[in-house]
Amino acid sequence: MMRHHVHPKDRGLSEAEGKALIDRLEETRSLSRGEWTDLIRGRTPALAEYLFGRARKIRVRHYGTEVYIRGLIEFTNYCRNDCYYCGIRKSNKNAVRYRLTRDQILSCCEKGYRLGFRTFVLQGGEDRWFTEDRMTGIISEIRRRFPDCAITLSIGELSRGSYRRFFEAGADRYLLRHETYDGVHYARLHPETLSASHRQKCLWDLKEIGYQVGTGFMVGSPYQTAENLADDMLFLKELNPQMVGIGPFIPHHDTPFAHMPAGTLELTLFMLGLIRLMLPKVLLPATTALGTIAEDGRERGILAGANVVMPNLSPTEVRENYLLYDNKLCTGDEAAESLKSLDQRFRAIGYHIAISRGDSLNQEIPD
Ligand code: SF4
């Protein structure tokens, strides 16, 4: 029998329908998978403006006009994994590898503290040279020297035992992007040693241990569909993390995805706005990738509801080697040394940088 039902995706979403979905999202903080898909697929510049206005209002209600800063220390670019999109994957023989010593890491923190940072993010590939003992030693020393600072780790998938030990040594927060919720899509971006379900299990472990957890995904990654993004939103809702980092996929020339098209600024901003409405108190960075695809990408991220930036505190001589994707910003206003000019850029749009730990207001109780 012929069916004449026209799916919303085929007829597009009228502006009124789109606005009604955004209103309902603001009110109930959730949508169904089909609604997410329709809204993402049916977005228009007018709907985006409507969404950003709402997102800014919510952001200002909870966080005022402050922008939180995190000092990013990329302490190793060795990695045992081979994610197809990543410039420091182990198969990339052209990557110039480096590891910071414990003393170098500590002096990055010293410098950061002087500049006004009260959160340090230790980010690295999955580098087993940094054993559990070595990492624990570094974390405890940072905790001892900087008792008023938050320590964030971003070092990939580890055992629950390691996560616990680092937490007990003084780490407060952990960033682990889920990248994409859907197992089939995940498998198209990663070798078979990695799985979406294990990644998600790590996130639940981290949460249970007591970390403030950050997750997130790439926007416009190869083969991504609106349904994949809808699943990402449903997963965020369920996990209820303290932070969500999203950025456009940007191809790296020495990876299997070298010739894949990049994600767009437009879709990334739209997703930022949706996340702000769904998780009003979440910490939402305007990521480096956003600043890389457009000169004013970070400001536009802030205007779409973001409230965090993560300038680079790594020693200048290694920054260019932590190249996850092409043309990644690591100097200019992206460098921690340029906080003042970053602050001026934010002031020009009505926001300003705050000197504080910048904890998330999004604790367990969703309100
Ligand atoms: S994305 Fe992370 S885990 Fe994957 S290869 Fe790059 S650094 Fe390693």
Side-chain angles (χ1 to χ4, degrees):
M1 201 170 87
M2 285 276 287
R3 294 181 64 200
H4 294 285
H5 173 74
V6 182
H7 190 274
K9 82 178 182 205
D10 299 320
R11 64 176 160 77
L13 202 62
S14 75
E15 195 168 321
E17 287 169 323
K19 284 184 175 171
L21 280 180
I22 291 171
D23 289 346
R24 196 143 54 73
L25 170 61
E26 185 178 1
E27 205 184 314
T28 64
R29 296 175 196 168
S30 67
L31 292 178
S32 70
R33 186 175 191 263
E35 289 166 338
W36 280 124
T37 309
D38 289 347
L39 188 53
I40 292 164
R41 195 175 272 131
R43 69 191 186 281
T44 59
L47 269 186
E49 276 319 306
Y50 184 75
L51 169 66
F52 300 156
R54 297 302 179 91
R56 283 197 292 272
K57 239 174 66 192
I58 293 172
R59 177 247 201 264
V60 170
R61 186 185 310 150
H62 296 300
Y63 290 101
T65 52
E66 296 193 329
V67 179
Y68 294 152
I69 50 172
R70 278 79 170 93
L72 182 63
I73 304 169
E74 294 160 335
F75 69 98
T76 172
N77 71 352
Y78 283 86
C79 188
R80 63 179 184 150
N81 290 333
D82 226 3
C83 307
Y84 302 148
Y85 47 84
C86 179
I88 61 170
R89 62 199 301 266
K90 75 166 176 214
S91 298
N92 181 9
K93 302 292 177 237
N94 294 327
V96 180
R97 306 284 170 175
Y98 72 89
R99 285 184 183 106
L100 300 187
T101 63
R102 170 191 158 104
D103 285 350
Q104 282 176 308
I105 295 172
L106 288 165
S107 53
C108 290
C109 296
E110 300 277 356
K111 182 174 96 182
Y113 195 87
R114 278 197 307 275
L115 289 167
F117 289 92
R118 296 297 176 265
T119 292
F120 304 121
V121 181
L122 298 187
Q123 186 161 80
E126 291 194 11
D127 177 4
R128 291 297 173 257
W129 187 88
F130 285 96
T131 57
E132 202 178 297
D133 284 347
R134 280 193 175 120
M135 275 318 290
T136 306
I138 293 167
I139 295 162
S140 335
E141 189 54 22
I142 300 175
R143 174 51 62 236
R144 194 184 67 76
R145 291 200 204 176
F146 306 96
D148 57 335
C149 292
I151 303 172
T152 304
L153 302 178
S154 176
I155 50 177
E157 298 179 28
L158 296 165
S159 72
R160 196 187 169 90
S162 302
Y163 287 151
R164 183 174 295 284
R165 207 167 147 208
F166 299 156
F167 185 73
E168 284 163 2
D172 319 88
R173 305 180 185 150
Y174 205 102
L175 306 182
L176 185 74
R177 288 187 177 189
H178 69 278
E179 301 299 0
T180 179
Y181 175 79
D182 179 72
V184 175
H185 184 222
Y186 195 93
R188 301 188 80 175
L189 307 179
H190 301 90
E192 60 189 19
T193 45
L194 299 172
S195 72
S197 56
H198 188 262
R199 192 118 185 132
Q200 290 155 24
K201 180 189 171 297
C202 288
L203 283 161
W204 290 110
D205 283 348
L206 288 160
K207 232 190 142 181
E208 214 176 285
I209 292 168
Y211 281 97
Q212 295 177 35
V213 170
T215 193
F217 52 89
M218 285 180 292
V219 177
S221 58
Y223 319 113
Q224 186 179 63
T225 62
E227 284 79 5
N228 293 146
L229 289 168
D231 286 339
D232 290 327
M233 296 304 281
L234 295 174
F235 176 65
L236 291 181
K237 181 76 192 166
E238 191 190 346
L239 183 71
N240 190 26
Q242 276 74 40
M243 175 155 154
V244 177
I246 65 166
F249 159 72
I250 302 176
H252 183 288
H253 60 279
D254 279 326
T255 64
F257 289 162
H259 301 294
M260 292 289 189
T264 63
L265 175 70
E266 177 269 320
L267 179 53
T268 310
L269 295 173
F270 196 77
M271 297 308 298
L272 281 173
L274 293 178
I275 295 168
R276 173 60 68 209
L277 256 59
M278 181 177 75
L279 301 171
K281 295 181 179 175
V282 83
L283 293 170
L284 204 51
T287 53
T288 304
L290 202 56
T292 299
I293 49 167
E295 210 275 323
D296 59 349
R298 265 168 318 210
E299 287 95 320
R300 293 179 63 185
I302 298 291
L303 291 172
N307 65 333
V308 177
V309 284
M310 297 171 105
N312 201 317
L313 264 182
S314 315
T316 358
E317 60 279 14
V318 302
R319 277 182 204 169
E320 290 185 353
N321 297 327
Y322 203 90
L323 209 58
L324 301 176
Y325 45 81
D326 286 346
N327 305 314
K328 180 176 162 232
L329 296 183
C330 60
T331 54
D333 288 348
E334 196 50 37
E337 296 79 2
S338 314
L339 267 194
K340 213 167 154 200
S341 70
L342 199 55
D343 187 49
Q344 275 159 5
R345 289 171 75 142
F346 293 142
R347 283 183 190 271
I349 55 164
Y351 295 79
H352 64 275
I353 284 177
I355 306 286
S356 80
R357 274 174 53 112
D359 282 301
S360 172
L361 302 171
N362 191 31
Q363 300 306 330
E364 266 315 286
I365 307 148
D367 236 49

